[in-house]
């Protein structure tokens, strides 16, 4: 297997109009499910850990787990610190060896977002680490929600601000808000493809679609066609994790061996990730030859 960098892989995705999946994890059976799917589908994969997930696992343990697993599964897999807001924590992740980080300054005023994104980029690029910035206000949390959070037009990424933000910060990737939302809702909002097209015309940064859970397959396909090269999925995997555990205990309430129970969870996660990799068009990647 050729050893390509994440940047080379994202460039290839940009050129050939497919997307790399980022799947979040915080437990070993989740990680194994994701990697087993990537291995089966011959697809590169990004492994996301939010601040909460990485604090639960520990930055060093996360890196060690991924490094040893990459040897086992023999696939291009890259860790990304997802939605980093704490500059100290992001810098620590870079120091410990994360190959990619996401600085989420979307809650800040534009000037501040630019200032801190720039600081992280300067720090990260010295060590060859990729940085994802974020522009626009992405609502919601990675969970199940009954009521839809109203997305206002002013929440969406402004194509004009994209020019300034990417030029001044020099981020490698950009998370955008085009109607996407974190979590699953009874009614999912519509994506603004005209805005995506306009953003794509204004920057060569790798465009990232957060809140991938719950978006229809048609919506994801269209977003990838229009220039999205990274899709983040968390809620759908969390749901599979919970449902597969509950189903297991319903079927076998007496079972107490964690390795037996969690094998079923791992298999269920693998299946869901395989579906997503198929959808994103990243399978049968040439990096395996
Ligand atoms: O950063 C993580 C993703 O944006 C997850 O979004 O929970 O809606 O899949 P999701
Ligand atoms: Zn996100």
């Amino acid at each position: 297997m050729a050893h390509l960098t994440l940047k080379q892989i994202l460039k290839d995705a940009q050129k050939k109009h497919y997307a790399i999946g980022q799947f979040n994890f915080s437990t070993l059976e989740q990680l194994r499910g994701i990697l087993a799917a990537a291995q089966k589908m011959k697809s590169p994969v990004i492994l996301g850990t939010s601040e909460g997930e990485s604090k639960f696992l520990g930055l060093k343990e996360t890196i060690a787990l991924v490094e040893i697993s990459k040897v086992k599964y023999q696939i291009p897999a890259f860790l990304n610190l997802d939605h980093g807001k704490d500059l100290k924590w992001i810098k620590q992740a870079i120091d410990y060896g994360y190959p990619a980080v996401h600085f989420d300054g979307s809650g800040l005023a534009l000037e501040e977002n630019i200032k801190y994104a720039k600081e992280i980029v300067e720090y990260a690029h010295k060590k060859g680490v990729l940085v994802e910035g974020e522009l626009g206000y992405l609502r919601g949390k990675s969970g199940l929600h009954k009521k839809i959070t109203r997305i206002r037009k002013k929440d969406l990424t402004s194509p004009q601000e994209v020019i300034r933000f990417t030029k001044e910060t020099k981020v490698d990737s950009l998370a955008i808000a085009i109607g996407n939302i974190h979590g699953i809702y009874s009614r999912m909002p519509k994506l603004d493809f005209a805005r995506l097209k306009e953003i794509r015309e204004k920057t060569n940064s790798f465009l990232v679609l957060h809140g991938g859970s719950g978006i229809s397959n048609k919506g994801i396909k269209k977003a990838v066609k229009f220039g999205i090269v990274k899709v983040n999925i968390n809620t759908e995997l969390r749901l599979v994790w919970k449902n597969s555990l509950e189903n297991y205990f319903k079927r076998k309430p007496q079972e107490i061996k964690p390795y037996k129970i969690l094998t079923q969870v791992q298999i269920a996660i693998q299946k869901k990730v395989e579906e997503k990799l198929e959808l994103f068009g990243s399978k049968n990647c040439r990096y395996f030859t």
Side-chain angles (χ1 to χ4, degrees):
M1 185 185 75
H3 287 284
L4 286 157
T5 63
L6 179 56
K7 194 171 186 170
Q8 288 169 316
I9 291 175
L10 288 167
K11 269 205 176 131
D12 190 67
Q14 208 171 42
K15 206 167 111 196
K16 298 184 186 143
H17 302 284
Y18 64 92
I20 309 298
Q22 174 186 298
F23 303 96
N24 284 47
F25 75 100
S26 54
T27 65
L28 182 62
E29 71 282 359
Q30 284 179 304
L31 174 65
R32 283 181 167 171
I34 298 164
L35 293 177
Q39 185 189 49
K40 188 169 163 200
M41 304 297 275
K42 293 189 174 8
S43 169
V45 77
I46 298 171
L47 299 156
T49 59
S50 65
E51 278 189 3
E53 286 158 344
S54 62
K55 280 177 182 160
F56 169 72
L57 262 182
L59 287 172
K60 283 189 177 171
E61 289 96 323
T62 308
I63 291 167
L65 264 177
V66 170
E67 283 311 308
I68 200 74
S69 304
K70 270 164 64 180
V71 176
K72 178 178 164 190
Y73 288 92
Q74 287 287 300
I75 50 151
F78 305 90
L79 253 178
N80 182 38
L81 183 81
D82 191 35
H83 288 287
K85 292 182 180 164
D86 175 348
L87 297 190
K88 258 195 185 163
W89 191 252
I90 302 173
K91 287 181 182 172
Q92 203 154 57
I94 294 169
D95 291 344
Y96 287 162
Y98 267 63
V101 293
H102 165 212
F103 167 64
D104 179 358
S106 60
L108 306 172
L110 180 63
E111 299 295 331
E112 294 228 298
N113 192 357
I114 290 176
K115 181 181 159 204
Y116 295 123
K118 225 169 135 183
E119 183 182 325
I120 292 297
V121 168
E122 278 161 18
Y123 194 87
H125 281 183
K126 277 189 206 133
K127 303 191 181 201
V129 171
L130 284 200
V131 180
E132 179 177 324
E134 182 160 336
L135 205 52
Y137 178 33
L138 208 84
R139 290 177 179 269
K141 295 229 176 299
S142 290
L144 302 176
H145 309 279
K146 281 204 183 94
K147 245 178 86 186
I148 187 154
T149 314
R150 227 185 80 210
I151 301 173
R152 297 183 177 90
K153 207 167 171 201
K154 67 174 171 59
D155 295 340
L156 304 182
T157 306
S158 143
Q160 280 315 314
E161 286 182 1
V162 166
I163 302 175
R164 183 173 167 212
F165 186 84
T166 52
K167 232 183 176 171
E168 290 188 25
T169 62
K170 299 198 170 41
V171 290
D172 305 279
S173 318
L174 184 68
I176 56 171
I178 52 164
N180 43 323
I181 190 165
H182 287 121
I184 299 179
Y185 300 76
S186 47
R187 198 164 49 85
M188 294 297 288
K190 281 207 169 74
L191 298 182
D192 183 345
F193 293 107
R195 187 176 293 265
L196 169 57
K197 198 166 167 268
E198 215 185 315
I199 293 170
R200 182 71 198 92
E201 284 160 4
K202 302 235 180 309
T203 182
N204 277 330
S205 304
F206 304 122
L207 297 181
V208 182
L209 187 73
H210 280 246
S213 297
I215 299 178
S216 69
N217 288 358
K218 214 173 135 200
I220 293 280
K221 278 201 166 156
K222 200 164 169 186
V224 173
K225 194 174 148 207
F226 278 49
I228 290 291
V229 293
K230 175 173 175 269
V231 181
N232 287 14
I233 303 278
N234 196 351
T235 307
E236 284 191 43
L237 291 194
R238 286 179 173 178
L239 196 60
V240 168
W241 184 87
K242 181 174 179 264
N243 288 346
S244 54
L245 263 184
E246 279 179 354
N247 289 340
Y248 191 97
F249 286 122
K250 259 185 222 152
R251 279 187 290 114
K252 297 187 178 173
Q254 296 305 320
E255 183 59 71
I256 61 164
K257 290 187 201 87
Y259 62 85
K260 282 212 164 177
I261 301 161
L262 295 175
T263 296
Q264 295 311 307
V265 178
Q266 184 182 316
I267 290 168
I269 288 171
Q270 178 180 344
K271 204 169 148 255
K272 178 55 77 181
V273 175
E274 282 175 19
E275 279 169 27
K276 296 293 177 189
L277 295 175
E278 174 95 48
L279 177 66
F280 302 159
S282 65
K283 72 169 185 171
N284 292 326
C285 173
R286 68 182 170 89
Y287 311 127
F288 283 85
T289 57

